[in-house]
DNA sequence: ATTTTATATCGCAATATTACGATTATAATA
DNA sequence: TATTATAATCGTAATATTGCGATATAAAAT
C-alpha cells in the first residue's frame, strides 16, 4: 500500500490536509515566516537565511507553490515570492472552523 | 538523506510542524471530527465510521496520541479517546499567531 | 558572444508514511 | 478456566518525503 485513500474522505478533509501538509515542515514554516516578515517578498536570500542547500530550498518553494500558498514572480534573474492571499484566507477559515469546532467539554472519559 | 534537519530550526517551528503533521492526514482529520462530534468520546466505532482497517485506525490514533492531541482511557475492553484540551489550545494559539502574522499587503511582487 | 548570477530540475540515497493482514495482549463474560 | 470482544503491535509492501550534488536553464552584465 502506502497510498492515502483519498476517495473515502470529503473534499474538505482532503483540502485541509493537503494545505496543512504543505506547511507542516519546519523549513517551510521558516520560509513562510521570512516571506511574511520581509513584508513584500524575497528570493534566494532564503538560501542564506536558512542553512539549507539551494536545491532544497527550491524544492520547498515548489511545494508551497503547488499547494497554492505562495506565488512567484520572475524579476529579471531573480524570482520574487509572496503569500497568495486567497489560499491563506482559505486555510485560515478552514482551520478556524475545524479547531473551533471543539469546545472544552463538561466531562470526558 | 531523508531526514529533517530539526537542529537548524527554532523550537516553535519544530513544535508547530510536528503538531500540524500529526493532523495533516484526511483520516486523522476525520477521526478528530468524529471524536469532537461524539461530544464526549468514542472508541472502535471509528473503524466502522471510516472505511479503514482496524490496524490502520489504531495506528492513526497512536500518532495523534504521540503528538499529545488526543488522550485514551481504558474502559474495560474498550478504549475511549478524547481531545487533549491543553494541546488543542496550544495548537490554536500557535496557528493563530502564525497565520495572523500575515496582513494583506499594500503591494507585492 | 561569453561570462556571471539566480533559480529550477534531475538523479540518487536515506528515511518516513500509509495501509493492511496476521498475531498478540487484555479484560469481560460464560 | 475457556471463550469472546476489543484494541495494540508486528511484519511487510508500496509509495512519499527529505536533502543534496550535479547539471540545466535563463536573464543580465561584460
Amino acid at each position: 500500500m502506502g497510498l492515502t485513500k483519498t476517495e473515502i474522505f470529503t473534499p474538505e478533509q482532503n483540502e485541509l490536509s493537503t494545505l496543512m501538509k504543505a506547511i507542516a515542515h519546519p523549513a517551510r514554516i521558516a520560509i513562510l515566516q521570512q516571506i511574511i516578515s520581509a513584508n513584500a517578498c524575497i528570493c534566494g536570500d532564503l538560501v542564506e537565511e536558512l542553512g539549507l542547500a539551494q536545491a532544497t530550498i527550491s524544492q520547498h518553494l515548489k511545494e508551497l507553490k503547488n499547494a497554492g500558498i505562495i506565488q512567484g514572480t520572475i524579476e529579471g534573474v531573480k524570482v520574487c515570492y509572496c503569500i497568495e492571499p486567497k489560499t491563506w484566507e482559505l486555510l485560515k477559515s478552514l482551520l478556524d472552523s475545524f479547531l473551533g469546532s471543539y469546545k472544552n467539554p463538561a466531562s470526558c472519559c
Side-chain angles (χ1 to χ4, degrees), chain A:
Chain A
M1 309 280 138
L3 186 133
T4 305
K5 283 194 160 179
T6 330
E7 334 84 57
I8 68 172
F9 303 106
T10 70
E12 286 77 22
Q13 290 167 338
N14 286 317
E15 186 166 37
L16 179 54
S17 77
T18 300
L19 286 173
M20 289 189 86
K21 208 173 171 186
I23 295 185
H25 189 287
R28 293 195 287 272
I29 292 178
I31 287 174
L32 289 171
Q33 288 174 333
Q34 272 292 324
I35 291 182
I36 290 171
S37 83
N39 199 359
C41 40
I42 34 172
C43 27
D45 309 334
L46 291 162
V47 180
E48 286 175 39
E49 302 281 355
L50 321 180
L52 292 171
Q54 184 264 320
T56 308
I57 298 287
S58 197
Q59 201 174 273
H60 281 305
L61 286 168
K62 191 182 179 185
E63 274 179 73
L64 288 170
K65 216 163 87 180
N66 282 344
I69 294 169
I70 61 173
Q71 168 201 358
T73 313
I74 300 170
E75 287 191 350
V77 193
K78 303 184 178 181
V79 174
C80 175
Y81 286 99
C82 56
I83 302 293
E84 177 65 66
K86 280 177 193 169
T87 311
W88 198 264
E89 286 310 313
L90 172 65
L91 177 58
K92 254 167 97 169
S93 72
L94 283 174
L95 271 173
D96 241 53
S97 81
F98 175 60
L99 292 176
S101 67
Y102 170 70
K103 307 292 181 192
N104 242 2
S107 76
C108 188
C109 44

PDB file of all heavy atoms in Angstrom, chain A residues 47-82:
ATOM      1  N   VAL A  47      18.143  30.986   0.908  1.00  0.00           N
ATOM      2  CA  VAL A  47      19.228  30.003   0.942  1.00  0.00           C
ATOM      3  C   VAL A  47      20.255  30.382   2.008  1.00  0.00           C
ATOM      4  O   VAL A  47      20.784  29.520   2.694  1.00  0.00           O
ATOM      5  CB  VAL A  47      19.903  29.880  -0.442  1.00  0.00           C
ATOM      6  CG1 VAL A  47      21.026  28.863  -0.406  1.00  0.00           C
ATOM      7  CG2 VAL A  47      18.887  29.500  -1.503  1.00  0.00           C
ATOM      8  N   GLU A  48      20.493  31.702   2.123  1.00  0.00           N
ATOM      9  CA  GLU A  48      21.451  32.137   3.139  1.00  0.00           C
ATOM     10  C   GLU A  48      20.824  32.132   4.528  1.00  0.00           C
ATOM     11  O   GLU A  48      21.436  31.682   5.488  1.00  0.00           O
ATOM     12  CB  GLU A  48      21.955  33.541   2.809  1.00  0.00           C
ATOM     13  CG  GLU A  48      22.942  33.559   1.636  1.00  0.00           C
ATOM     14  CD  GLU A  48      23.316  34.981   1.253  1.00  0.00           C
ATOM     15  OE1 GLU A  48      23.476  35.815   2.165  1.00  0.00           O
ATOM     16  OE2 GLU A  48      23.432  35.257   0.038  1.00  0.00           O
ATOM     17  N   GLU A  49      19.600  32.634   4.606  1.00  0.00           N
ATOM     18  CA  GLU A  49      18.924  32.746   5.899  1.00  0.00           C
ATOM     19  C   GLU A  49      18.818  31.385   6.587  1.00  0.00           C
ATOM     20  O   GLU A  49      19.218  31.217   7.726  1.00  0.00           O
ATOM     21  CB  GLU A  49      17.512  33.323   5.714  1.00  0.00           C
ATOM     22  CG  GLU A  49      17.465  34.682   5.057  1.00  0.00           C
ATOM     23  CD  GLU A  49      17.805  35.818   6.018  1.00  0.00           C
ATOM     24  OE1 GLU A  49      17.980  35.555   7.222  1.00  0.00           O
ATOM     25  OE2 GLU A  49      17.892  36.970   5.547  1.00  0.00           O
ATOM     26  N   LEU A  50      18.249  30.423   5.890  1.00  0.00           N
ATOM     27  CA  LEU A  50      18.167  29.072   6.445  1.00  0.00           C
ATOM     28  C   LEU A  50      19.453  28.364   6.050  1.00  0.00           C
ATOM     29  O   LEU A  50      20.126  28.752   5.115  1.00  0.00           O
ATOM     30  CB  LEU A  50      16.956  28.335   5.867  1.00  0.00           C
ATOM     31  CG  LEU A  50      15.681  29.143   5.679  1.00  0.00           C
ATOM     32  CD1 LEU A  50      14.601  28.264   5.103  1.00  0.00           C
ATOM     33  CD2 LEU A  50      15.230  29.758   6.972  1.00  0.00           C
ATOM     34  N   GLY A  51      19.789  27.334   6.731  1.00  0.00           N
ATOM     35  CA  GLY A  51      21.046  26.658   6.439  1.00  0.00           C
ATOM     36  C   GLY A  51      20.869  25.446   5.532  1.00  0.00           C
ATOM     37  O   GLY A  51      21.413  24.395   5.799  1.00  0.00           O
ATOM     38  N   LEU A  52      20.108  25.630   4.468  1.00  0.00           N
ATOM     39  CA  LEU A  52      19.833  24.504   3.573  1.00  0.00           C
ATOM     40  C   LEU A  52      20.361  24.793   2.175  1.00  0.00           C
ATOM     41  O   LEU A  52      20.503  25.934   1.774  1.00  0.00           O
ATOM     42  CB  LEU A  52      18.331  24.234   3.518  1.00  0.00           C
ATOM     43  CG  LEU A  52      17.693  23.687   4.796  1.00  0.00           C
ATOM     44  CD1 LEU A  52      16.187  23.686   4.678  1.00  0.00           C
ATOM     45  CD2 LEU A  52      18.198  22.280   5.074  1.00  0.00           C
ATOM     46  N   ALA A  53      20.627  23.723   1.452  1.00  0.00           N
ATOM     47  CA  ALA A  53      21.160  23.871   0.101  1.00  0.00           C
ATOM     48  C   ALA A  53      20.150  24.534  -0.824  1.00  0.00           C
ATOM     49  O   ALA A  53      18.942  24.499  -0.574  1.00  0.00           O
ATOM     50  CB  ALA A  53      21.554  22.511  -0.447  1.00  0.00           C
ATOM     51  N   GLN A  54      20.670  25.115  -1.885  1.00  0.00           N
ATOM     52  CA  GLN A  54      19.813  25.836  -2.820  1.00  0.00           C
ATOM     53  C   GLN A  54      18.760  24.909  -3.419  1.00  0.00           C
ATOM     54  O   GLN A  54      17.591  25.286  -3.565  1.00  0.00           O
ATOM     55  CB  GLN A  54      20.689  26.457  -3.918  1.00  0.00           C
ATOM     56  CG  GLN A  54      19.937  27.316  -4.901  1.00  0.00           C
ATOM     57  CD  GLN A  54      19.558  26.544  -6.146  1.00  0.00           C
ATOM     58  OE1 GLN A  54      20.327  25.742  -6.647  1.00  0.00           O
ATOM     59  NE2 GLN A  54      18.352  26.794  -6.636  1.00  0.00           N
ATOM     60  N   ALA A  55      19.153  23.702  -3.760  1.00  0.00           N
ATOM     61  CA  ALA A  55      18.207  22.750  -4.349  1.00  0.00           C
ATOM     62  C   ALA A  55      17.078  22.424  -3.389  1.00  0.00           C
ATOM     63  O   ALA A  55      15.924  22.273  -3.800  1.00  0.00           O
ATOM     64  CB  ALA A  55      18.942  21.475  -4.748  1.00  0.00           C
ATOM     65  N   THR A  56      17.434  22.339  -2.117  1.00  0.00           N
ATOM     66  CA  THR A  56      16.433  22.001  -1.099  1.00  0.00           C
ATOM     67  C   THR A  56      15.411  23.124  -0.940  1.00  0.00           C
ATOM     68  O   THR A  56      14.204  22.879  -0.910  1.00  0.00           O
ATOM     69  CB  THR A  56      17.127  21.737   0.245  1.00  0.00           C
ATOM     70  OG1 THR A  56      18.161  20.775   0.035  1.00  0.00           O
ATOM     71  CG2 THR A  56      16.146  21.199   1.263  1.00  0.00           C
ATOM     72  N   ILE A  57      15.908  24.345  -0.859  1.00  0.00           N
ATOM     73  CA  ILE A  57      15.009  25.494  -0.735  1.00  0.00           C
ATOM     74  C   ILE A  57      14.091  25.575  -1.947  1.00  0.00           C
ATOM     75  O   ILE A  57      12.875  25.771  -1.825  1.00  0.00           O
ATOM     76  CB  ILE A  57      15.818  26.800  -0.615  1.00  0.00           C
ATOM     77  CG1 ILE A  57      16.686  26.797   0.654  1.00  0.00           C
ATOM     78  CG2 ILE A  57      14.883  28.006  -0.627  1.00  0.00           C
ATOM     79  CD1 ILE A  57      15.941  26.985   1.924  1.00  0.00           C
ATOM     80  N   SER A  58      14.662  25.399  -3.096  1.00  0.00           N
ATOM     81  CA  SER A  58      13.881  25.477  -4.326  1.00  0.00           C
ATOM     82  C   SER A  58      12.767  24.442  -4.327  1.00  0.00           C
ATOM     83  O   SER A  58      11.651  24.708  -4.779  1.00  0.00           O
ATOM     84  CB  SER A  58      14.808  25.269  -5.521  1.00  0.00           C
ATOM     85  OG  SER A  58      14.225  25.701  -6.714  1.00  0.00           O
ATOM     86  N   GLN A  59      13.078  23.276  -3.828  1.00  0.00           N
ATOM     87  CA  GLN A  59      12.080  22.209  -3.771  1.00  0.00           C
ATOM     88  C   GLN A  59      10.957  22.554  -2.799  1.00  0.00           C
ATOM     89  O   GLN A  59       9.785  22.323  -3.086  1.00  0.00           O
ATOM     90  CB  GLN A  59      12.765  20.915  -3.348  1.00  0.00           C
ATOM     91  CG  GLN A  59      12.022  19.673  -3.722  1.00  0.00           C
ATOM     92  CD  GLN A  59      12.844  18.431  -3.401  1.00  0.00           C
ATOM     93  OE1 GLN A  59      13.642  17.979  -4.197  1.00  0.00           O
ATOM     94  NE2 GLN A  59      12.680  17.915  -2.197  1.00  0.00           N
ATOM     95  N   HIS A  60      11.318  23.109  -1.649  1.00  0.00           N
ATOM     96  CA  HIS A  60      10.300  23.506  -0.670  1.00  0.00           C
ATOM     97  C   HIS A  60       9.414  24.607  -1.246  1.00  0.00           C
ATOM     98  O   HIS A  60       8.197  24.598  -1.054  1.00  0.00           O
ATOM     99  CB  HIS A  60      10.970  23.984   0.616  1.00  0.00           C
ATOM    100  CG  HIS A  60      11.454  22.867   1.497  1.00  0.00           C
ATOM    101  ND1 HIS A  60      10.641  21.855   1.945  1.00  0.00           N
ATOM    102  CD2 HIS A  60      12.680  22.598   2.006  1.00  0.00           C
ATOM    103  CE1 HIS A  60      11.348  21.024   2.697  1.00  0.00           C
ATOM    104  NE2 HIS A  60      12.580  21.450   2.746  1.00  0.00           N
ATOM    105  N   LEU A  61      10.038  25.545  -1.948  1.00  0.00           N
ATOM    106  CA  LEU A  61       9.265  26.625  -2.570  1.00  0.00           C
ATOM    107  C   LEU A  61       8.284  26.054  -3.583  1.00  0.00           C
ATOM    108  O   LEU A  61       7.140  26.499  -3.684  1.00  0.00           O
ATOM    109  CB  LEU A  61      10.207  27.624  -3.243  1.00  0.00           C
ATOM    110  CG  LEU A  61      10.990  28.552  -2.316  1.00  0.00           C
ATOM    111  CD1 LEU A  61      12.080  29.286  -3.070  1.00  0.00           C
ATOM    112  CD2 LEU A  61      10.059  29.540  -1.634  1.00  0.00           C
ATOM    113  N   LYS A  62       8.738  25.055  -4.301  1.00  0.00           N
ATOM    114  CA  LYS A  62       7.878  24.423  -5.302  1.00  0.00           C
ATOM    115  C   LYS A  62       6.652  23.795  -4.657  1.00  0.00           C
ATOM    116  O   LYS A  62       5.525  23.912  -5.148  1.00  0.00           O
ATOM    117  CB  LYS A  62       8.677  23.355  -6.046  1.00  0.00           C
ATOM    118  CG  LYS A  62       8.003  22.813  -7.274  1.00  0.00           C
ATOM    119  CD  LYS A  62       8.886  21.718  -7.873  1.00  0.00           C
ATOM    120  CE  LYS A  62       8.270  21.098  -9.116  1.00  0.00           C
ATOM    121  NZ  LYS A  62       9.108  19.971  -9.595  1.00  0.00           N
ATOM    122  N   GLU A  63       6.870  23.149  -3.536  1.00  0.00           N
ATOM    123  CA  GLU A  63       5.748  22.506  -2.831  1.00  0.00           C
ATOM    124  C   GLU A  63       4.752  23.539  -2.329  1.00  0.00           C
ATOM    125  O   GLU A  63       3.538  23.331  -2.420  1.00  0.00           O
ATOM    126  CB  GLU A  63       6.272  21.686  -1.656  1.00  0.00           C
ATOM    127  CG  GLU A  63       6.670  20.283  -2.073  1.00  0.00           C
ATOM    128  CD  GLU A  63       7.204  19.488  -0.886  1.00  0.00           C
ATOM    129  OE1 GLU A  63       6.395  19.102  -0.025  1.00  0.00           O
ATOM    130  OE2 GLU A  63       8.432  19.272  -0.810  1.00  0.00           O
ATOM    131  N   LEU A  64       5.280  24.629  -1.792  1.00  0.00           N
ATOM    132  CA  LEU A  64       4.389  25.691  -1.317  1.00  0.00           C
ATOM    133  C   LEU A  64       3.621  26.307  -2.479  1.00  0.00           C
ATOM    134  O   LEU A  64       2.455  26.671  -2.351  1.00  0.00           O
ATOM    135  CB  LEU A  64       5.206  26.770  -0.586  1.00  0.00           C
ATOM    136  CG  LEU A  64       5.756  26.366   0.792  1.00  0.00           C
ATOM    137  CD1 LEU A  64       6.738  27.399   1.310  1.00  0.00           C
ATOM    138  CD2 LEU A  64       4.610  26.183   1.792  1.00  0.00           C
ATOM    139  N   LYS A  65       4.273  26.392  -3.616  1.00  0.00           N
ATOM    140  CA  LYS A  65       3.640  26.956  -4.807  1.00  0.00           C
ATOM    141  C   LYS A  65       2.583  25.985  -5.331  1.00  0.00           C
ATOM    142  O   LYS A  65       1.481  26.400  -5.689  1.00  0.00           O
ATOM    143  CB  LYS A  65       4.695  27.229  -5.881  1.00  0.00           C
ATOM    144  CG  LYS A  65       4.426  28.466  -6.694  1.00  0.00           C
ATOM    145  CD  LYS A  65       5.658  28.953  -7.444  1.00  0.00           C
ATOM    146  CE  LYS A  65       5.835  28.291  -8.789  1.00  0.00           C
ATOM    147  NZ  LYS A  65       7.046  28.777  -9.515  1.00  0.00           N
ATOM    148  N   ASN A  66       2.914  24.713  -5.359  1.00  0.00           N
ATOM    149  CA  ASN A  66       1.948  23.707  -5.811  1.00  0.00           C
ATOM    150  C   ASN A  66       0.681  23.713  -4.962  1.00  0.00           C
ATOM    151  O   ASN A  66      -0.411  23.532  -5.471  1.00  0.00           O
ATOM    152  CB  ASN A  66       2.570  22.304  -5.758  1.00  0.00           C
ATOM    153  CG  ASN A  66       3.492  22.046  -6.920  1.00  0.00           C
ATOM    154  OD1 ASN A  66       3.464  22.762  -7.921  1.00  0.00           O
ATOM    155  ND2 ASN A  66       4.329  21.047  -6.801  1.00  0.00           N
ATOM    156  N   ALA A  67       0.868  23.921  -3.684  1.00  0.00           N
ATOM    157  CA  ALA A  67      -0.284  23.949  -2.782  1.00  0.00           C
ATOM    158  C   ALA A  67      -1.042  25.269  -2.915  1.00  0.00           C
ATOM    159  O   ALA A  67      -2.097  25.434  -2.322  1.00  0.00           O
ATOM    160  CB  ALA A  67       0.170  23.736  -1.345  1.00  0.00           C
ATOM    161  N   GLY A  68      -0.475  26.205  -3.657  1.00  0.00           N
ATOM    162  CA  GLY A  68      -1.144  27.482  -3.872  1.00  0.00           C
ATOM    163  C   GLY A  68      -0.953  28.452  -2.725  1.00  0.00           C
ATOM    164  O   GLY A  68      -1.639  29.466  -2.638  1.00  0.00           O
ATOM    165  N   ILE A  69      -0.003  28.162  -1.847  1.00  0.00           N
ATOM    166  CA  ILE A  69       0.181  29.008  -0.673  1.00  0.00           C
ATOM    167  C   ILE A  69       1.035  30.234  -0.984  1.00  0.00           C
ATOM    168  O   ILE A  69       0.844  31.290  -0.420  1.00  0.00           O
ATOM    169  CB  ILE A  69       0.793  28.181   0.485  1.00  0.00           C
ATOM    170  CG1 ILE A  69      -0.218  27.123   0.926  1.00  0.00           C
ATOM    171  CG2 ILE A  69       1.172  29.066   1.657  1.00  0.00           C
ATOM    172  CD1 ILE A  69       0.331  26.095   1.863  1.00  0.00           C
ATOM    173  N   ILE A  70       1.994  30.054  -1.875  1.00  0.00           N
ATOM    174  CA  ILE A  70       2.787  31.209  -2.299  1.00  0.00           C
ATOM    175  C   ILE A  70       2.702  31.340  -3.817  1.00  0.00           C
ATOM    176  O   ILE A  70       2.182  30.450  -4.509  1.00  0.00           O
ATOM    177  CB  ILE A  70       4.266  31.100  -1.873  1.00  0.00           C
ATOM    178  CG1 ILE A  70       4.914  29.873  -2.515  1.00  0.00           C
ATOM    179  CG2 ILE A  70       4.389  31.056  -0.371  1.00  0.00           C
ATOM    180  CD1 ILE A  70       6.409  29.788  -2.291  1.00  0.00           C
ATOM    181  N   GLN A  71       3.277  32.428  -4.264  1.00  0.00           N
ATOM    182  CA  GLN A  71       3.197  32.788  -5.666  1.00  0.00           C
ATOM    183  C   GLN A  71       4.558  33.348  -6.031  1.00  0.00           C
ATOM    184  O   GLN A  71       5.174  34.059  -5.238  1.00  0.00           O
ATOM    185  CB  GLN A  71       2.094  33.834  -5.795  1.00  0.00           C
ATOM    186  CG  GLN A  71       2.013  34.555  -7.098  1.00  0.00           C
ATOM    187  CD  GLN A  71       1.272  35.874  -6.921  1.00  0.00           C
ATOM    188  OE1 GLN A  71       0.798  36.199  -5.830  1.00  0.00           O
ATOM    189  NE2 GLN A  71       1.185  36.651  -7.977  1.00  0.00           N
ATOM    190  N   GLY A  72       5.075  33.023  -7.195  1.00  0.00           N
ATOM    191  CA  GLY A  72       6.397  33.511  -7.589  1.00  0.00           C
ATOM    192  C   GLY A  72       6.337  34.360  -8.840  1.00  0.00           C
ATOM    193  O   GLY A  72       5.656  34.010  -9.795  1.00  0.00           O
ATOM    194  N   THR A  73       7.040  35.477  -8.776  1.00  0.00           N
ATOM    195  CA  THR A  73       7.091  36.352  -9.943  1.00  0.00           C
ATOM    196  C   THR A  73       8.535  36.507 -10.385  1.00  0.00           C
ATOM    197  O   THR A  73       9.402  36.805  -9.564  1.00  0.00           O
ATOM    198  CB  THR A  73       6.532  37.750  -9.590  1.00  0.00           C
ATOM    199  OG1 THR A  73       5.307  37.583  -8.887  1.00  0.00           O
ATOM    200  CG2 THR A  73       6.294  38.557 -10.839  1.00  0.00           C
ATOM    201  N   ILE A  74       8.767  36.321 -11.654  1.00  0.00           N
ATOM    202  CA  ILE A  74      10.118  36.461 -12.178  1.00  0.00           C
ATOM    203  C   ILE A  74      10.457  37.933 -12.311  1.00  0.00           C
ATOM    204  O   ILE A  74       9.694  38.712 -12.872  1.00  0.00           O
ATOM    205  CB  ILE A  74      10.247  35.760 -13.539  1.00  0.00           C
ATOM    206  CG1 ILE A  74       9.922  34.267 -13.391  1.00  0.00           C
ATOM    207  CG2 ILE A  74      11.645  35.938 -14.117  1.00  0.00           C
ATOM    208  CD1 ILE A  74       9.779  33.528 -14.705  1.00  0.00           C
ATOM    209  N   GLU A  75      11.611  38.309 -11.733  1.00  0.00           N
ATOM    210  CA  GLU A  75      12.071  39.694 -11.808  1.00  0.00           C
ATOM    211  C   GLU A  75      13.495  39.677 -12.312  1.00  0.00           C
ATOM    212  O   GLU A  75      14.434  39.734 -11.529  1.00  0.00           O
ATOM    213  CB  GLU A  75      11.987  40.352 -10.442  1.00  0.00           C
ATOM    214  CG  GLU A  75      10.562  40.661 -10.023  1.00  0.00           C
ATOM    215  CD  GLU A  75      10.510  41.547  -8.794  1.00  0.00           C
ATOM    216  OE1 GLU A  75      11.573  41.762  -8.175  1.00  0.00           O
ATOM    217  OE2 GLU A  75       9.403  42.019  -8.460  1.00  0.00           O
ATOM    218  N   GLY A  76      13.618  39.618 -13.591  1.00  0.00           N
ATOM    219  CA  GLY A  76      14.951  39.514 -14.165  1.00  0.00           C
ATOM    220  C   GLY A  76      15.520  38.140 -13.882  1.00  0.00           C
ATOM    221  O   GLY A  76      14.899  37.127 -14.194  1.00  0.00           O
ATOM    222  N   VAL A  77      16.669  38.141 -13.231  1.00  0.00           N
ATOM    223  CA  VAL A  77      17.308  36.864 -12.902  1.00  0.00           C
ATOM    224  C   VAL A  77      16.704  36.274 -11.639  1.00  0.00           C
ATOM    225  O   VAL A  77      16.712  35.066 -11.452  1.00  0.00           O
ATOM    226  CB  VAL A  77      18.824  37.072 -12.697  1.00  0.00           C
ATOM    227  CG1 VAL A  77      19.535  35.749 -12.664  1.00  0.00           C
ATOM    228  CG2 VAL A  77      19.392  37.946 -13.800  1.00  0.00           C
ATOM    229  N   LYS A  78      16.169  37.139 -10.812  1.00  0.00           N
ATOM    230  CA  LYS A  78      15.653  36.674  -9.535  1.00  0.00           C
ATOM    231  C   LYS A  78      14.179  36.291  -9.637  1.00  0.00           C
ATOM    232  O   LYS A  78      13.497  36.647 -10.595  1.00  0.00           O
ATOM    233  CB  LYS A  78      15.828  37.775  -8.493  1.00  0.00           C
ATOM    234  CG  LYS A  78      17.276  38.223  -8.345  1.00  0.00           C
ATOM    235  CD  LYS A  78      17.420  39.235  -7.241  1.00  0.00           C
ATOM    236  CE  LYS A  78      18.890  39.632  -7.093  1.00  0.00           C
ATOM    237  NZ  LYS A  78      19.072  40.615  -5.997  1.00  0.00           N
ATOM    238  N   VAL A  79      13.727  35.579  -8.619  1.00  0.00           N
ATOM    239  CA  VAL A  79      12.301  35.274  -8.523  1.00  0.00           C
ATOM    240  C   VAL A  79      11.817  35.756  -7.179  1.00  0.00           C
ATOM    241  O   VAL A  79      12.453  35.508  -6.153  1.00  0.00           O
ATOM    242  CB  VAL A  79      12.023  33.770  -8.687  1.00  0.00           C
ATOM    243  CG1 VAL A  79      10.554  33.483  -8.445  1.00  0.00           C
ATOM    244  CG2 VAL A  79      12.426  33.294 -10.062  1.00  0.00           C
ATOM    245  N   CYS A  80      10.744  36.459  -7.223  1.00  0.00           N
ATOM    246  CA  CYS A  80      10.195  37.067  -6.017  1.00  0.00           C
ATOM    247  C   CYS A  80       8.979  36.275  -5.551  1.00  0.00           C
ATOM    248  O   CYS A  80       8.016  36.103  -6.306  1.00  0.00           O
ATOM    249  CB  CYS A  80       9.815  38.512  -6.335  1.00  0.00           C
ATOM    250  SG  CYS A  80       9.002  39.324  -4.978  1.00  0.00           S
ATOM    251  N   TYR A  81       9.021  35.800  -4.332  1.00  0.00           N
ATOM    252  CA  TYR A  81       7.927  35.001  -3.801  1.00  0.00           C
ATOM    253  C   TYR A  81       7.117  35.788  -2.790  1.00  0.00           C
ATOM    254  O   TYR A  81       7.665  36.557  -2.007  1.00  0.00           O
ATOM    255  CB  TYR A  81       8.456  33.731  -3.151  1.00  0.00           C
ATOM    256  CG  TYR A  81       8.916  32.708  -4.149  1.00  0.00           C
ATOM    257  CD1 TYR A  81      10.262  32.560  -4.456  1.00  0.00           C
ATOM    258  CD2 TYR A  81       7.990  31.907  -4.804  1.00  0.00           C
ATOM    259  CE1 TYR A  81      10.682  31.628  -5.382  1.00  0.00           C
ATOM    260  CE2 TYR A  81       8.394  30.978  -5.730  1.00  0.00           C
ATOM    261  CZ  TYR A  81       9.742  30.835  -6.017  1.00  0.00           C
ATOM    262  OH  TYR A  81      10.152  29.917  -6.942  1.00  0.00           O
ATOM    263  N   CYS A  82       5.823  35.569  -2.821  1.00  0.00           N
ATOM    264  CA  CYS A  82       4.992  36.170  -1.786  1.00  0.00           C
ATOM    265  C   CYS A  82       3.782  35.289  -1.504  1.00  0.00           C
ATOM    266  O   CYS A  82       3.479  34.364  -2.260  1.00  0.00           O
ATOM    267  CB  CYS A  82       4.570  37.576  -2.178  1.00  0.00           C
ATOM    268  SG  CYS A  82       3.726  37.636  -3.741  1.00  0.00           S
TER     269      CYS A  82
END
